[in-house]
């Protein structure tokens, strides 16, 4: 049984004359010059359909009959049912009727103008009683794919697709309480590049339409500043990554690509996070939590730390440097150490926390020493600046504790391993650290996601304590020169 696609304007020609009769049965299209010939074709097709184990649903089938009138190619449509299937009539469509074929709506005169209900669907999803991470999950995995299919087979316009992307970003801003100056590429960049991973209709739909249809949509696949046309969505993601990393808020996300598994919590709708914790973690990752430095962008006003520090009050300063968040920083460090220690003990290892060793230049106290069946692993945990390379920080820790090799050598059959759990305050994990810990069997891939989330949650606690402290320095010395 052959399957015919619906033409753009139903202007099929048969033997040099305009077709006057069409019948639609889901994805099967039959056409003829008049009702008698079409009924013969239907009668011949039904035995083949039944032989394949299929049955025609008359309620979902429809016929269209028209007659050319005059030289202006006007058409007269007949809404009287004349086609029979198994002695049951098929409904006839009038001039104001419509039907859906492969997800696209058609009228008797051709493909209908797209009337996308994306905005109403987004509002329904926003007002639902779901967690923020669940709303983002349904947006990415259910809502946008449904409209992407409909848009792919519709007439495309750049302005319309841009407007739909604006609706999607506005929805995410409301759900996650992101400020209006959040970089646009943060929404659409891949999660492994530091973004939210929300598909862009402006670029994804024309690429899909060019692959599946006769039109290439060259005018819609030309990115500004780039001569060649984009042919795959991966090229668009690479462009988004570059623009995100070149932005002020996104420059600290360059290290996220080292361990993509650590950022799966963004789109998996995980229940391990409460709603407000998910919102705070996303804002911490995007560097959009309030700080004086962020609020003073482009205004030329003093933005030193409100607690009296002589440094600009950036989120990095609040979470990593400020004296008033020293206690929460230690709590963050200990939280990561305790999670790693508990995981190692559950895997049957003996763990010593913060043992004291005599080193060549003084005492050394690594966070964990894990005694396995035939090997010893020395692990130190650190959370560093988002501008500092994770690989360099990991190498510094390894070289620092490698001087203990002679003291630990001989306690197990294999040579001792010196490694670290190196992260930055935006949730990125060093690739070398993750590979070594996974290779030793001390953590699982799921633990990478948990460690990233725990680092962000405890970092949010640092920011919250900084904001709620009673000590406040309103007058900070400021030298405009």
């Amino acid at each position: 049984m052959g399957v015919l696609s619906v033409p753009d304007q139903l202007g099929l020609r048969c033997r040099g004359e305009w077709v006057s009769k069409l019948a639609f049965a889901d994805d099967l299209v039959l056409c003829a010059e008049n009702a008698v010939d079409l009924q013969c074709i239907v009668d011949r097709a039904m035995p083949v359909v039944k032989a394949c184990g299929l049955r025609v649903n008359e309620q979902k089938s429809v016929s269209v009959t028209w007659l050319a009138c005059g030289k202006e190619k006007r058409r007269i449509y007949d809404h009287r049912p004349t086609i029979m299937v198994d002695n049951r009539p098929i409904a006839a469509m009038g001039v104001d009727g419509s039907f859906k074929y492969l997800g696209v709506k058609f009228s008797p005169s051709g493909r209908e103008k797209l009337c996308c209900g994306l905005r109403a669907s987004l509002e329904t999803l926003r007002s639902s009683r779901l967690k923020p991470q669940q709303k983002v999950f349904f947006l990415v995995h259910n809502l946008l794919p449904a409209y992407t299919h409909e848009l792919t087979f519709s007439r495309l316009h750049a302005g319309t697709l841009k407007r739909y992307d604006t609706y999607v970003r506005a929805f995410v801003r409301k759900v996650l309480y992101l400020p209006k100056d959040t970089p646009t590429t943060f929404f659409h960049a891949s999660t492994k590049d530091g973004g939210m991973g929300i598909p862009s209709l402006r670029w994804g739909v024309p690429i899909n339409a060019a692959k599946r249809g006769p039109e290439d949509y060259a005018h819609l696949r030309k990115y500004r500043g780039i001569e060649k046309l984009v042919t795959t969505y991966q090229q668009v993601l690479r462009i988004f990554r570059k623009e995100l990393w070149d932005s002020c808020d996104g420059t600290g996300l360059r290290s996220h690509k080292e361990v993509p598994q650590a950022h799966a919590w963004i789109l998996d709708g995980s229940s391990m996070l409460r709603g407000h914790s998910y919102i705070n973690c996303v804002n911490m990752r995007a560097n959009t939590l309030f700080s004086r430095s962020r609020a003073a962008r482009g205004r030329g006003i003093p933005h030193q730390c409100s607690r009296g520090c002589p440094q600009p009050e950036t989120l990095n300063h609040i979470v990593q440097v400020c004296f008033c968040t020293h206690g929460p920083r230690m709590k963050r460090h200990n939280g990561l150490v305790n999670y790693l220690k508990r995981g190692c003990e559950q895997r049957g290892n003996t763990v010593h926390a913060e043992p004291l060793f005599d080193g060549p230049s003084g005492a050394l106290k690594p966070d964990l020493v894990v005694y396995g069946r035939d090997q010893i692993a020395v692990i130190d945990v650190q959370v560093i600046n988002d501008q500092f390379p994770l690989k360099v920080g990991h190498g510094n820790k390894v070289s620092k504790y490698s001087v203990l090799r002679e003291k630990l050598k001989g306690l197990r059959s294999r040579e001792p391993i010196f490694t670290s759990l190196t992260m930055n305050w935006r949730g990125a994990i060093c690739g070398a650290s993750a590979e070594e810990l996974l290779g030793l069997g001390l953590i699982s891939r799921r633990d990478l996601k948990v460690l990233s989330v725990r680092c962000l949650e405890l970092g949010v606690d640092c920011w919250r304590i900084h904001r709620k402290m009673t000590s406040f320095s309103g007058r900070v010395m400021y030298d405009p020169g």
Side-chain angles (χ1 to χ4, degrees), residues 284 287 289-291 312-330 332 383-385 424-426 455-464 466:
M284 172 66 73
N287 191 32
L289 293 176
F290 176 83
S291 65
E313 187 184 282
T314 62
L315 194 55
N316 179 77
H317 169 79
I318 294 173
V319 177
Q320 294 292 113
V321 179
C322 189
F323 71 93
C324 71
T325 58
H326 176 76
R329 284 200 300 274
M330 296 299 102
R332 178 185 63 183
V383 181
I384 62 176
N385 191 328
N424 64 25
W425 60 270
R426 300 179 76 166
C455 178
L456 291 170
E457 281 188 304
L458 297 174
V460 171
D461 291 341
C462 296
W463 171 82
R464 187 179 290 113
H466 182 275

mmCIF file of all heavy atoms in Angstrom, residues 284 287 289-291 312-330 332 383-385 424-426 455-464 466:
data_model
loop_
_atom_site.group_PDB
_atom_site.id
_atom_site.type_symbol
_atom_site.label_atom_id
_atom_site.label_comp_id
_atom_site.label_asym_id
_atom_site.label_seq_id
_atom_site.Cartn_x
_atom_site.Cartn_y
_atom_site.Cartn_z
ATOM 1 N N MET A 284 23.094 30.359 41.135
ATOM 2 C CA MET A 284 24.502 30.330 41.524
ATOM 3 C C MET A 284 25.374 29.908 40.350
ATOM 4 O O MET A 284 26.437 30.487 40.095
ATOM 5 C CB MET A 284 24.678 29.364 42.704
ATOM 6 C CG MET A 284 26.117 29.083 43.093
ATOM 7 S SD MET A 284 26.987 30.534 43.750
ATOM 8 C CE MET A 284 26.212 30.668 45.361
ATOM 9 N N ASN A 287 25.735 32.718 37.909
ATOM 10 C CA ASN A 287 26.320 33.946 38.457
ATOM 11 C C ASN A 287 25.317 35.109 38.405
ATOM 12 O O ASN A 287 25.666 36.243 38.103
ATOM 13 C CB ASN A 287 27.602 34.318 37.702
ATOM 14 C CG ASN A 287 28.387 35.418 38.397
ATOM 15 O OD1 ASN A 287 28.368 35.523 39.625
ATOM 16 N ND2 ASN A 287 29.062 36.260 37.624
ATOM 17 N N LEU A 289 22.975 35.609 41.105
ATOM 18 C CA LEU A 289 22.560 36.028 42.437
ATOM 19 C C LEU A 289 23.030 37.460 42.691
ATOM 20 O O LEU A 289 24.042 37.903 42.154
ATOM 21 C CB LEU A 289 23.135 35.084 43.498
ATOM 22 C CG LEU A 289 22.589 33.649 43.496
ATOM 23 C CD1 LEU A 289 23.322 32.816 44.523
ATOM 24 C CD2 LEU A 289 21.094 33.639 43.770
ATOM 25 N N PHE A 290 22.311 38.168 43.544
ATOM 26 C CA PHE A 290 22.586 39.591 43.744
ATOM 27 C C PHE A 290 23.956 39.814 44.364
ATOM 28 O O PHE A 290 24.392 39.109 45.276
ATOM 29 C CB PHE A 290 21.522 40.202 44.647
ATOM 30 C CG PHE A 290 21.792 41.653 44.970
ATOM 31 C CD1 PHE A 290 21.417 42.648 44.093
ATOM 32 C CD2 PHE A 290 22.456 42.006 46.140
ATOM 33 C CE1 PHE A 290 21.669 43.979 44.373
ATOM 34 C CE2 PHE A 290 22.720 43.335 46.424
ATOM 35 C CZ PHE A 290 22.328 44.323 45.543
ATOM 36 N N SER A 291 24.632 40.800 43.848
ATOM 37 C CA SER A 291 25.868 41.323 44.435
ATOM 38 C C SER A 291 25.980 42.784 44.028
ATOM 39 O O SER A 291 25.391 43.216 43.040
ATOM 40 C CB SER A 291 27.096 40.527 43.967
ATOM 41 O OG SER A 291 27.294 40.685 42.579
ATOM 42 N N PRO A 312 35.907 44.527 45.340
ATOM 43 C CA PRO A 312 34.564 44.573 44.745
ATOM 44 C C PRO A 312 33.712 43.401 45.230
ATOM 45 O O PRO A 312 34.197 42.274 45.370
ATOM 46 C CB PRO A 312 34.831 44.480 43.233
ATOM 47 C CG PRO A 312 36.232 44.939 43.071
ATOM 48 C CD PRO A 312 36.968 44.519 44.303
ATOM 49 N N GLU A 313 32.449 43.676 45.476
ATOM 50 C CA GLU A 313 31.538 42.647 45.974
ATOM 51 C C GLU A 313 30.967 41.861 44.797
ATOM 52 O O GLU A 313 29.869 42.113 44.306
ATOM 53 C CB GLU A 313 30.409 43.273 46.785
ATOM 54 C CG GLU A 313 29.520 42.229 47.469
ATOM 55 C CD GLU A 313 28.348 42.870 48.183
ATOM 56 O OE1 GLU A 313 28.555 43.403 49.292
ATOM 57 O OE2 GLU A 313 27.233 42.854 47.615
ATOM 58 N N THR A 314 31.727 40.918 44.323
ATOM 59 C CA THR A 314 31.255 39.983 43.305
ATOM 60 C C THR A 314 30.794 38.705 43.994
ATOM 61 O O THR A 314 31.079 38.475 45.173
ATOM 62 C CB THR A 314 32.360 39.676 42.301
ATOM 63 O OG1 THR A 314 33.461 39.052 42.991
ATOM 64 C CG2 THR A 314 32.854 40.955 41.621
ATOM 65 N N LEU A 315 30.098 37.868 43.253
ATOM 66 C CA LEU A 315 29.662 36.596 43.823
ATOM 67 C C LEU A 315 30.859 35.718 44.147
ATOM 68 O O LEU A 315 30.834 34.967 45.125
ATOM 69 C CB LEU A 315 28.718 35.897 42.839
ATOM 70 C CG LEU A 315 27.904 34.726 43.388
ATOM 71 C CD1 LEU A 315 27.104 35.145 44.612
ATOM 72 C CD2 LEU A 315 26.985 34.170 42.313
ATOM 73 N N ASN A 316 31.905 35.811 43.351
ATOM 74 C CA ASN A 316 33.131 35.069 43.642
ATOM 75 C C ASN A 316 33.751 35.535 44.961
ATOM 76 O O ASN A 316 34.208 34.717 45.763
ATOM 77 C CB ASN A 316 34.115 35.246 42.500
ATOM 78 C CG ASN A 316 35.430 34.524 42.753
ATOM 79 O OD1 ASN A 316 35.529 33.316 42.620
ATOM 80 N ND2 ASN A 316 36.454 35.284 43.137
ATOM 81 N N HIS A 317 33.741 36.840 45.196
ATOM 82 C CA HIS A 317 34.283 37.358 46.457
ATOM 83 C C HIS A 317 33.443 36.894 47.641
ATOM 84 O O HIS A 317 33.982 36.511 48.688
ATOM 85 C CB HIS A 317 34.314 38.888 46.406
ATOM 86 C CG HIS A 317 34.604 39.529 47.738
ATOM 87 N ND1 HIS A 317 35.873 39.611 48.259
ATOM 88 C CD2 HIS A 317 33.770 40.104 48.645
ATOM 89 C CE1 HIS A 317 35.830 40.211 49.434
ATOM 90 N NE2 HIS A 317 34.571 40.527 49.699
ATOM 91 N N ILE A 318 32.128 36.923 47.499
ATOM 92 C CA ILE A 318 31.254 36.534 48.598
ATOM 93 C C ILE A 318 31.457 35.074 48.970
ATOM 94 O O ILE A 318 31.571 34.716 50.153
ATOM 95 C CB ILE A 318 29.779 36.788 48.212
ATOM 96 C CG1 ILE A 318 29.524 38.290 48.052
ATOM 97 C CG2 ILE A 318 28.832 36.198 49.239
ATOM 98 C CD1 ILE A 318 28.159 38.622 47.506
ATOM 99 N N VAL A 319 31.533 34.204 47.962
ATOM 100 C CA VAL A 319 31.560 32.765 48.217
ATOM 101 C C VAL A 319 32.958 32.257 48.541
ATOM 102 O O VAL A 319 33.112 31.283 49.286
ATOM 103 C CB VAL A 319 30.988 32.022 46.991
ATOM 104 C CG1 VAL A 319 31.065 30.518 47.161
ATOM 105 C CG2 VAL A 319 29.547 32.437 46.754
ATOM 106 N N GLN A 320 34.000 32.943 48.058
ATOM 107 C CA GLN A 320 35.356 32.415 48.168
ATOM 108 C C GLN A 320 36.289 33.209 49.073
ATOM 109 O O GLN A 320 37.247 32.638 49.591
ATOM 110 C CB GLN A 320 35.985 32.341 46.769
ATOM 111 C CG GLN A 320 35.341 31.344 45.822
ATOM 112 C CD GLN A 320 35.569 29.919 46.246
ATOM 113 O OE1 GLN A 320 34.642 29.226 46.613
ATOM 114 N NE2 GLN A 320 36.814 29.476 46.214
ATOM 115 N N VAL A 321 36.028 34.492 49.267
ATOM 116 C CA VAL A 321 37.049 35.338 49.887
ATOM 117 C C VAL A 321 36.566 36.025 51.151
ATOM 118 O O VAL A 321 37.292 36.098 52.141
ATOM 119 C CB VAL A 321 37.545 36.409 48.876
ATOM 120 C CG1 VAL A 321 38.598 37.305 49.513
ATOM 121 C CG2 VAL A 321 38.090 35.738 47.621
ATOM 122 N N CYS A 322 35.364 36.562 51.158
ATOM 123 C CA CYS A 322 34.912 37.463 52.218
ATOM 124 C C CYS A 322 35.060 36.817 53.593
ATOM 125 O O CYS A 322 34.755 35.627 53.769
ATOM 126 C CB CYS A 322 33.467 37.870 51.966
ATOM 127 S SG CYS A 322 32.890 39.175 53.082
ATOM 128 N N PHE A 323 35.487 37.629 54.577
ATOM 129 C CA PHE A 323 35.742 37.099 55.914
ATOM 130 C C PHE A 323 34.458 36.609 56.587
ATOM 131 O O PHE A 323 34.475 35.693 57.408
ATOM 132 C CB PHE A 323 36.385 38.190 56.787
ATOM 133 C CG PHE A 323 35.459 39.299 57.175
ATOM 134 C CD1 PHE A 323 34.749 39.264 58.364
ATOM 135 C CD2 PHE A 323 35.263 40.392 56.333
ATOM 136 C CE1 PHE A 323 33.884 40.286 58.719
ATOM 137 C CE2 PHE A 323 34.404 41.414 56.680
ATOM 138 C CZ PHE A 323 33.711 41.369 57.880
ATOM 139 N N CYS A 324 33.317 37.219 56.259
ATOM 140 C CA CYS A 324 32.088 36.874 56.953
ATOM 141 C C CYS A 324 31.513 35.541 56.501
ATOM 142 O O CYS A 324 30.603 35.015 57.137
ATOM 143 C CB CYS A 324 31.047 37.984 56.763
ATOM 144 S SG CYS A 324 30.367 38.077 55.100
ATOM 145 N N THR A 325 32.029 34.974 55.444
ATOM 146 C CA THR A 325 31.545 33.665 54.991
ATOM 147 C C THR A 325 32.584 32.567 55.226
ATOM 148 O O THR A 325 32.504 31.509 54.608
ATOM 149 C CB THR A 325 31.189 33.717 53.494
ATOM 150 O OG1 THR A 325 32.343 34.120 52.732
ATOM 151 C CG2 THR A 325 30.057 34.692 53.241
ATOM 152 N N HIS A 326 33.537 32.822 56.125
ATOM 153 C CA HIS A 326 34.557 31.804 56.400
ATOM 154 C C HIS A 326 33.920 30.547 56.986
ATOM 155 O O HIS A 326 34.251 29.416 56.576
ATOM 156 C CB HIS A 326 35.611 32.351 57.355
ATOM 157 C CG HIS A 326 36.640 31.340 57.755
ATOM 158 N ND1 HIS A 326 37.667 30.940 56.924
ATOM 159 C CD2 HIS A 326 36.790 30.620 58.919
ATOM 160 C CE1 HIS A 326 38.412 30.029 57.530
ATOM 161 N NE2 HIS A 326 37.904 29.821 58.747
ATOM 162 N N GLY A 327 33.020 30.708 57.938
ATOM 163 C CA GLY A 327 32.359 29.556 58.548
ATOM 164 C C GLY A 327 31.560 28.735 57.549
ATOM 165 O O GLY A 327 31.716 27.507 57.484
ATOM 166 N N PRO A 328 30.702 29.361 56.740
ATOM 167 C CA PRO A 328 29.970 28.579 55.724
ATOM 168 C C PRO A 328 30.885 27.925 54.694
ATOM 169 O O PRO A 328 30.564 26.840 54.181
ATOM 170 C CB PRO A 328 29.064 29.629 55.068
ATOM 171 C CG PRO A 328 28.912 30.695 56.072
ATOM 172 C CD PRO A 328 30.186 30.724 56.841
ATOM 173 N N ARG A 329 32.019 28.557 54.382
ATOM 174 C CA ARG A 329 32.956 27.918 53.445
ATOM 175 C C ARG A 329 33.532 26.639 54.035
ATOM 176 O O ARG A 329 33.688 25.634 53.332
ATOM 177 C CB ARG A 329 34.089 28.882 53.073
ATOM 178 C CG ARG A 329 33.696 29.946 52.086
ATOM 179 C CD ARG A 329 34.913 30.523 51.401
ATOM 180 N NE ARG A 329 35.850 31.126 52.325
ATOM 181 C CZ ARG A 329 35.794 32.373 52.772
ATOM 182 N NH1 ARG A 329 34.811 33.160 52.365
ATOM 183 N NH2 ARG A 329 36.686 32.855 53.608
ATOM 184 N N MET A 330 33.867 26.680 55.336
ATOM 185 C CA MET A 330 34.353 25.462 55.984
ATOM 186 C C MET A 330 33.261 24.397 56.026
ATOM 187 O O MET A 330 33.526 23.192 55.867
ATOM 188 C CB MET A 330 34.820 25.785 57.405
ATOM 189 C CG MET A 330 36.024 26.727 57.466
ATOM 190 S SD MET A 330 37.484 26.040 56.647
ATOM 191 C CE MET A 330 37.456 26.928 55.081
ATOM 192 N N ARG A 332 30.923 24.044 53.782
ATOM 193 C CA ARG A 332 30.856 23.496 52.429
ATOM 194 C C ARG A 332 31.949 22.466 52.205
ATOM 195 O O ARG A 332 31.708 21.378 51.663
ATOM 196 C CB ARG A 332 30.964 24.633 51.413
ATOM 197 C CG ARG A 332 30.944 24.191 49.970
ATOM 198 C CD ARG A 332 31.171 25.370 49.038
ATOM 199 N NE ARG A 332 32.477 25.977 49.237
ATOM 200 C CZ ARG A 332 32.918 27.062 48.592
ATOM 201 N NH1 ARG A 332 32.136 27.659 47.707
ATOM 202 N NH2 ARG A 332 34.117 27.546 48.832
ATOM 203 N N VAL A 383 37.642 23.625 46.807
ATOM 204 C CA VAL A 383 36.722 24.383 45.959
ATOM 205 C C VAL A 383 37.424 25.689 45.629
ATOM 206 O O VAL A 383 37.721 26.488 46.522
ATOM 207 C CB VAL A 383 35.381 24.641 46.665
ATOM 208 C CG1 VAL A 383 34.441 25.411 45.742
ATOM 209 C CG2 VAL A 383 34.737 23.327 47.098
ATOM 210 N N ILE A 384 37.711 25.930 44.350
ATOM 211 C CA ILE A 384 38.571 27.033 43.948
ATOM 212 C C ILE A 384 37.787 28.063 43.150
ATOM 213 O O ILE A 384 36.592 27.905 42.870
ATOM 214 C CB ILE A 384 39.773 26.516 43.124
ATOM 215 C CG1 ILE A 384 39.286 25.847 41.824
ATOM 216 C CG2 ILE A 384 40.591 25.525 43.937
ATOM 217 C CD1 ILE A 384 40.429 25.392 40.924
ATOM 218 N N ASN A 385 38.476 29.118 42.766
ATOM 219 C CA ASN A 385 37.928 30.205 41.963
ATOM 220 C C ASN A 385 37.498 29.684 40.590
ATOM 221 O O ASN A 385 38.131 28.787 40.022
ATOM 222 C CB ASN A 385 39.001 31.294 41.813
ATOM 223 C CG ASN A 385 38.466 32.565 41.227
ATOM 224 O OD1 ASN A 385 37.548 32.552 40.421
ATOM 225 N ND2 ASN A 385 39.029 33.683 41.639
ATOM 226 N N ASN A 424 35.137 23.959 41.304
ATOM 227 C CA ASN A 424 35.013 25.391 41.518
ATOM 228 C C ASN A 424 33.638 25.689 42.105
ATOM 229 O O ASN A 424 32.760 24.825 42.150
ATOM 230 C CB ASN A 424 35.277 26.198 40.243
ATOM 231 C CG ASN A 424 34.262 25.928 39.145
ATOM 232 O OD1 ASN A 424 33.128 25.533 39.387
ATOM 233 N ND2 ASN A 424 34.676 26.144 37.904
ATOM 234 N N TRP A 425 33.437 26.909 42.550
ATOM 235 C CA TRP A 425 32.220 27.236 43.302
ATOM 236 C C TRP A 425 30.971 27.244 42.427
ATOM 237 O O TRP A 425 29.852 27.332 42.949
ATOM 238 C CB TRP A 425 32.377 28.577 43.997
ATOM 239 C CG TRP A 425 32.636 29.745 43.084
ATOM 240 C CD1 TRP A 425 33.846 30.206 42.683
ATOM 241 C CD2 TRP A 425 31.659 30.594 42.483
ATOM 242 N NE1 TRP A 425 33.694 31.297 41.859
ATOM 243 C CE2 TRP A 425 32.355 31.568 41.721
ATOM 244 C CE3 TRP A 425 30.266 30.651 42.495
ATOM 245 C CZ2 TRP A 425 31.706 32.562 40.994
ATOM 246 C CZ3 TRP A 425 29.622 31.643 41.777
ATOM 247 C CH2 TRP A 425 30.338 32.575 41.043
ATOM 248 N N ARG A 426 31.127 27.090 41.109
ATOM 249 C CA ARG A 426 29.976 27.032 40.210
ATOM 250 C C ARG A 426 29.598 25.609 39.822
ATOM 251 O O ARG A 426 28.812 25.393 38.911
ATOM 252 C CB ARG A 426 30.253 27.871 38.963
ATOM 253 C CG ARG A 426 30.506 29.333 39.306
ATOM 254 C CD ARG A 426 30.815 30.179 38.110
ATOM 255 N NE ARG A 426 29.638 30.496 37.325
ATOM 256 C CZ ARG A 426 29.597 31.431 36.377
ATOM 257 N NH1 ARG A 426 30.683 32.152 36.113
ATOM 258 N NH2 ARG A 426 28.510 31.669 35.705
ATOM 259 N N CYS A 455 27.863 21.193 46.279
ATOM 260 C CA CYS A 455 28.747 22.357 46.249
ATOM 261 C C CYS A 455 27.955 23.639 46.000
ATOM 262 O O CYS A 455 28.186 24.663 46.641
ATOM 263 C CB CYS A 455 29.820 22.166 45.184
ATOM 264 S SG CYS A 455 30.948 23.554 44.997
ATOM 265 N N LEU A 456 27.001 23.579 45.081
ATOM 266 C CA LEU A 456 26.193 24.752 44.776
ATOM 267 C C LEU A 456 25.270 25.113 45.932
ATOM 268 O O LEU A 456 25.116 26.297 46.275
ATOM 269 C CB LEU A 456 25.385 24.497 43.510
ATOM 270 C CG LEU A 456 26.167 24.406 42.203
ATOM 271 C CD1 LEU A 456 25.283 23.902 41.074
ATOM 272 C CD2 LEU A 456 26.756 25.760 41.830
ATOM 273 N N GLU A 457 24.630 24.108 46.554
ATOM 274 C CA GLU A 457 23.716 24.382 47.661
ATOM 275 C C GLU A 457 24.444 25.032 48.836
ATOM 276 O O GLU A 457 23.954 26.015 49.416
ATOM 277 C CB GLU A 457 23.055 23.083 48.111
ATOM 278 C CG GLU A 457 21.912 22.624 47.233
ATOM 279 C CD GLU A 457 21.183 21.438 47.829
ATOM 280 O OE1 GLU A 457 21.837 20.426 48.112
ATOM 281 O OE2 GLU A 457 19.958 21.537 48.011
ATOM 282 N N LEU A 458 25.594 24.487 49.187
ATOM 283 C CA LEU A 458 26.346 25.062 50.304
ATOM 284 C C LEU A 458 26.945 26.412 49.931
ATOM 285 O O LEU A 458 27.158 27.266 50.798
ATOM 286 C CB LEU A 458 27.435 24.085 50.739
ATOM 287 C CG LEU A 458 26.902 22.746 51.283
ATOM 288 C CD1 LEU A 458 28.042 21.786 51.549
ATOM 289 C CD2 LEU A 458 26.088 22.973 52.548
ATOM 290 N N GLY A 459 27.224 26.638 48.635
ATOM 291 C CA GLY A 459 27.655 27.959 48.199
ATOM 292 C C GLY A 459 26.545 28.985 48.327
ATOM 293 O O GLY A 459 26.789 30.147 48.652
ATOM 294 N N VAL A 460 25.309 28.560 48.059
ATOM 295 C CA VAL A 460 24.160 29.453 48.248
ATOM 296 C C VAL A 460 24.026 29.837 49.715
ATOM 297 O O VAL A 460 23.666 30.969 50.041
ATOM 298 C CB VAL A 460 22.881 28.788 47.727
ATOM 299 C CG1 VAL A 460 21.647 29.600 48.105
ATOM 300 C CG2 VAL A 460 22.945 28.621 46.212
ATOM 301 N N ASP A 461 24.325 28.907 50.622
ATOM 302 C CA ASP A 461 24.300 29.234 52.056
ATOM 303 C C ASP A 461 25.307 30.329 52.384
ATOM 304 O O ASP A 461 25.028 31.217 53.208
ATOM 305 C CB ASP A 461 24.592 27.986 52.878
ATOM 306 C CG ASP A 461 23.458 26.973 52.801
ATOM 307 O OD1 ASP A 461 22.333 27.366 52.426
ATOM 308 O OD2 ASP A 461 23.689 25.784 53.113
ATOM 309 N N CYS A 462 26.484 30.293 51.766
ATOM 310 C CA CYS A 462 27.471 31.358 51.970
ATOM 311 C C CYS A 462 26.907 32.708 51.527
ATOM 312 O O CYS A 462 27.038 33.716 52.245
ATOM 313 C CB CYS A 462 28.756 31.041 51.198
ATOM 314 S SG CYS A 462 29.634 29.559 51.728
ATOM 315 N N TRP A 463 26.290 32.728 50.366
ATOM 316 C CA TRP A 463 25.721 33.981 49.862
ATOM 317 C C TRP A 463 24.588 34.475 50.753
ATOM 318 O O TRP A 463 24.485 35.676 51.037
ATOM 319 C CB TRP A 463 25.222 33.754 48.436
ATOM 320 C CG TRP A 463 24.436 34.894 47.879
ATOM 321 C CD1 TRP A 463 24.927 36.040 47.322
ATOM 322 C CD2 TRP A 463 23.005 35.011 47.832
ATOM 323 N NE1 TRP A 463 23.893 36.859 46.923
ATOM 324 C CE2 TRP A 463 22.706 36.254 47.223
ATOM 325 C CE3 TRP A 463 21.962 34.189 48.232
ATOM 326 C CZ2 TRP A 463 21.405 36.684 47.023
ATOM 327 C CZ3 TRP A 463 20.657 34.614 48.035
ATOM 328 C CH2 TRP A 463 20.389 35.846 47.431
ATOM 329 N N ARG A 464 23.749 33.568 51.235
ATOM 330 C CA ARG A 464 22.614 33.956 52.067
ATOM 331 C C ARG A 464 23.078 34.536 53.400
ATOM 332 O O ARG A 464 22.517 35.523 53.890
ATOM 333 C CB ARG A 464 21.707 32.747 52.292
ATOM 334 C CG ARG A 464 20.411 33.095 53.020
ATOM 335 C CD ARG A 464 19.543 31.874 53.206
ATOM 336 N NE ARG A 464 18.999 31.410 51.943
ATOM 337 C CZ ARG A 464 19.333 30.269 51.372
ATOM 338 N NH1 ARG A 464 20.247 29.482 51.934
ATOM 339 N NH2 ARG A 464 18.800 29.900 50.226
ATOM 340 N N HIS A 466 25.945 35.999 53.933
ATOM 341 C CA HIS A 466 26.527 37.311 53.630
ATOM 342 C C HIS A 466 25.441 38.373 53.515
ATOM 343 O O HIS A 466 25.614 39.519 53.955
ATOM 344 C CB HIS A 466 27.332 37.220 52.337
ATOM 345 C CG HIS A 466 28.021 38.496 51.958
ATOM 346 N ND1 HIS A 466 27.400 39.497 51.243
ATOM 347 C CD2 HIS A 466 29.287 38.933 52.199
ATOM 348 C CE1 HIS A 466 28.237 40.481 51.039
ATOM 349 N NE2 HIS A 466 29.389 40.170 51.606
#
